Amino acid sequence: MSGAATLLQDVFGFDDFRPGQAEIVAAVSRGENVLAIMPTGGGKSLCFQLPALLRDGVTVVISPLIALMRDQVRALQEAGVQAGALTSGNTPEETDAVFDALEAGTLKLLYMAPERLAAGSAVGLLRRAGVSMIAVDEAHCVSQWGHDFRPDYLRIGALRRDLDVPLAAFTATADTETQAEIVQKLFDGEAPRSFLQGFDRPNIHLTFAAKDGPRQQILAFAAARKGQSGIVYCGTRAKTEALATALRDAGHAALHYHGGMEAEDRRIAETRFQREDGLIVVATVAFGMGIDKPDIRWVAHADLPKSIEAYYQEIGRAGRDGAPAETLTLFGPEDIRLRRSQIDEGLAPPERRVTDHGRLNALLGLAEALTCRRKTLLGYFGETDVTCGHCDLCDRPADVFDGTTVVRKALSAILRTEEWFGAGHLIDILIGNETDKIRQRGHQSLPTYGVGKEYDRRQWQAIFRQMMGHDLVRPDPDRHGALRMTDAALPILRGEATIALRRDSIRAAAATRRPAVKAMVSDEDAPLLSALKAKRRSFAEASKVPAYVIFTDRTLIEMAETRPQTLDSMAHVSGVGAKKLERYGAAFLEVIVGEVEQMHPTRRKLAGREAGSVYDRLLAVQADLARGEGGVEKPLSCSASLLAKVAQLRNADASALLRVLGDRRAERFGPAFLDVLREAG
């Protein structure tokens, strides 16, 4: 992996791989078929971009959104990588440049949307281009029953067979069922080398709250984070427009986004969000997949998401730079009814709808969790060794009581009505509300009639919601939403198990627990960070690229905190590769230290490397010997490029120096240069 480590430093500006990256990079570089499930922000892109540079030929990257492809291509080009995209958003000049690079054999990464594979000419083009590997981003889009299904992803398996090349598939959101679909559709059922890097995003703070004036709850959350980029997800298009207006009236930079907007308006919104600091987008789920903005500081849900997978993916758009990020998810009975009806009215077969109700139950379990939310969330994905301290329930534990008796009452009502009724009728039985429906069925004579009068209707709704969260009951699509017990309910009904419930959810709507706002840097470093951001913005606007393509927030935070004093120390800041150091290093260093001492371009290329300090010592030795040891000989010196060659020699001896320097220079400088090299070695 020495070649990979060198590229990691020189091209991408990172000293070390993130956990799990090195193994995936090695497998992809060797040409193995790979399925990698990594958390959002875990560095998936690097796992196919770096192997593309190590391998011969072109790597074709199938990616779902034009905006994402364009941003990744720009970022790669900024790092000095030959990359291009063939999309409907290209200018003629951009398309010509891609074809010229393909013809010249210089292109290393070619990005394409899956829809382009529908064109008959695509396979021929890729075959002629010498494609040696396929990388698939957002591979869960191949799942026919997933919320991000893209039909053209089904063509990728045939493309792999036609080109007979290895394929590496990457996703952040794939439960066991979706993983099986990916293997079947992309790899013809032959298991690839799989990497499961875990789902934890420890930098994201998790908070849920029952709805209690949801517009004011969202406005208060945004107000505490004014000036930070955020996303608010809403369940309807109308709500996105109304809430965006309310945020603007409150003094925020905010816009709305939904699938009913004109394509050009959506594109403008996407571009503004990528490029502007501190902008809030209020959107439906039409916004988000492929959003690669690393400095989104918060995500709020004004309505309950569709499933626990959707929730995980949507909050995962925050904090991709690794810096602290926060979330708030609001939920209420109307949300749950809406999500249930969407499942029941969908076109999926009955067994699939039962599974989807189970997934929604898992999300309710997270909303009504008794203890740490992160343990509940990651437990759904099969992770049990979880450390948190970074969610609202770790900040302030829930008020919990033994709910075994009350749950047994509810289960008994379900059992005695033979699992044919929904929560509304069951609650009428429990509280003794003699409706026409109860009289018609004789349910007023049931032993469970009126046994739950200690709670009112709203409180019983909260109890049933918690029972669904524990997956004790699920709506049955074949019985129009009637509640049926799961196997998990039986031990409680028989008195063989107990269950705890949250009293705060039952007694009253929980007040919003707003976590303390996390400052990005200390008060001392904040002015410098602002100045660095301003410098970044000027470069970004001049190049018409998103600010993070120049440097991410995380890189600027490290600059503000470590305050590098030289280009050599600047080169050790994470995210500052050789090309970016050459292009932007001096300008950002000037912001930190004021006037910057000029450095020869050849020396700048060695910045941050051991050869740089060796070069400096060689330069000093040369100055001492420029007129010979006695100071009376004819002046003689080496060019900067010659000194750089010497500085990078390993295990050099006198004959090696003679080959590099020639007779005259080796005679004057050889012994002293050799001493410097031996001291450094």
Side-chain angles (χ1 to χ4, degrees), residues 433-445:
N433 184 23
E434 193 172 331
T435 63
D436 291 343
K437 189 174 178 180
I438 281 182
R439 280 193 298 272
Q440 287 166 7
R441 289 163 174 78
H443 287 166
Q444 73 275 24
S445 60

Side-chain angles (χ1 to χ4, degrees), residues 39-40 197-203 312 374 378 383 385-387:
T40 305
Q197 292 306 128
F199 292 87
D200 193 13
R201 296 285 307 285
N203 61 312
Y312 176 81
R374 186 166 264 100
L378 297 180
E383 294 187 28
D385 186 15
V386 179
T387 302

Side-chain angles (χ1 to χ4, degrees), residues 119-159:
S121 58
V123 176
L125 165 70
L126 296 177
R127 192 176 282 120
R128 291 191 302 276
V131 169
S132 62
M133 183 175 73
I134 300 169
V136 181
D137 204 5
E138 310 288 0
H140 64 276
C141 292
V142 80
S143 172
Q144 196 159 350
W145 300 109
H147 60 285
D148 286 328
F149 176 54
R150 296 283 285 268
D152 288 289
Y153 264 69
L154 299 175
R155 302 177 188 275
I156 299 173
L159 178 67

Side-chain angles (χ1 to χ4, degrees), residues 108 116 188 203 260 263 280 357 533 540 564 576 591 595 647 650:
K108 295 304 295 178
R116 199 173 185 97
D188 293 330
N203 61 312
I280 300 170
H357 278 302
K533 282 190 165 188
V576 182
V591 173
E595 190 174 342
R650 291 289 176 270

